[in-house]
Amino acid sequence: MLREPRASKTAVSPSQSAKTKKRGGPTDEHIHGEIYSAIINHQIRPATPLQEDALATAFGVSRTIIRKVLQRLSHEKLVDLIPNKGAFVAKPSIEEARQVFEARRGVECILAEKLASTITREDVDRLTAMVSAEAEAVEQDSKQRRLQLSGDFHRQLASLAGNEVLRDFVHELVSRTSLIIALY
């Protein structure tokens, strides 16, 4: 059943806050957004080493800031931190890939059930437009755009459901799925 429109909720991508600057240089939020985007858009492949010195130089910041960003990306399961070896873009195993997709199926079923009773016509229109944009990207053979739009769609579903824990979980799963798609 469709309900009356409510205040617009949109999924926030990490790169939206990446434009924030502090003291004239890039912030850790900006750097996180740049590296995050490069990983999920397959510009940096799984298992690629992420050298602190090179990143610090490229962004014009200290290694301390880079370490903080790499820790956050590790927490998000996009980077593996290996003692005495460094940071690497995560390379999920086939079993981990199966588990991630299984988790997504379960979580997205819960979201669909929750949305079935709360979704508005405005929400349906927004989601329909997102699906149309993704179909257009498929027709144009734009894999990177299709992948981004697909992730945006699933993050939007999670936002509309109104459960912050599930929203955060979907965000992580969508990011990990992107790595898996790059790999397999």
Side-chain angles (χ1 to χ4, degrees):
M1 162 172 141
L2 296 178
R3 299 170 72 124
E4 290 303 309
R6 60 179 172 254
S8 175
K9 295 180 184 177
T10 56
V12 177
S13 72
S15 61
Q16 285 175 320
S17 58
K19 305 301 179 216
T20 307
K21 301 254 180 179
K22 179 162 71 177
R23 288 177 271 165
T27 63
D28 56 333
E29 193 66 31
H30 169 80
I31 296 166
H32 172 272
E34 293 291 321
I35 297 172
Y36 174 96
S37 186
I39 292 170
I40 67 165
N41 290 319
H42 305 165
Q43 294 164 329
I44 305 175
R45 304 281 303 161
T48 300
L50 300 170
Q51 298 174 334
E52 287 181 12
D53 288 339
L55 290 170
T57 300
F59 286 105
V61 297
S62 70
R63 287 179 56 195
T64 303
I65 291 174
I66 297 300
R67 242 180 255 118
K68 181 179 176 184
V69 169
L70 294 175
Q71 283 286 340
R72 181 174 169 193
L73 290 165
S74 174
H75 179 73
E76 295 168 334
K77 309 280 193 242
L78 294 178
V79 168
D80 292 328
L81 298 176
I82 301 171
N84 301 319
K85 292 198 180 203
F88 298 83
V89 175
K91 185 178 178 185
S93 68
I94 291 173
E95 182 55 31
E96 183 179 351
R98 286 187 183 111
Q99 291 175 12
V100 167
F101 280 106
E102 179 181 13
R104 272 192 73 171
R105 277 190 303 277
V107 169
E108 289 177 353
C109 284
I110 293 168
L111 293 174
E113 185 177 313
K114 186 167 175 56
L115 282 172
S117 63
T118 62
I119 198 161
T120 67
R121 171 56 58 195
E122 182 182 84
D123 296 335
V124 170
D125 292 345
R126 186 178 314 119
L127 293 169
T128 300
M130 295 176 87
V131 169
S132 295
E134 186 179 348
E136 187 177 305
V138 169
E139 286 175 15
Q140 296 172 349
D141 199 29
S142 177
K143 183 179 177 183
Q144 183 175 339
R145 177 133 172 83
R146 179 184 55 80
L147 188 63
Q148 178 65 46
L149 290 168
S150 176
D152 290 348
F153 176 83
H154 291 275
R155 283 188 286 271
Q156 182 66 33
L157 282 177
S159 281
L160 291 172
N163 181 317
E164 291 182 23
V165 173
L166 287 176
R167 184 199 63 213
D168 293 347
F169 194 38
V170 167
H171 181 78
E172 178 184 319
L173 290 171
V174 166
S175 300
R176 293 174 74 183
T177 301
S178 179
L179 274 177
I180 292 164
I181 290 169
L183 210 56
Y184 302 109

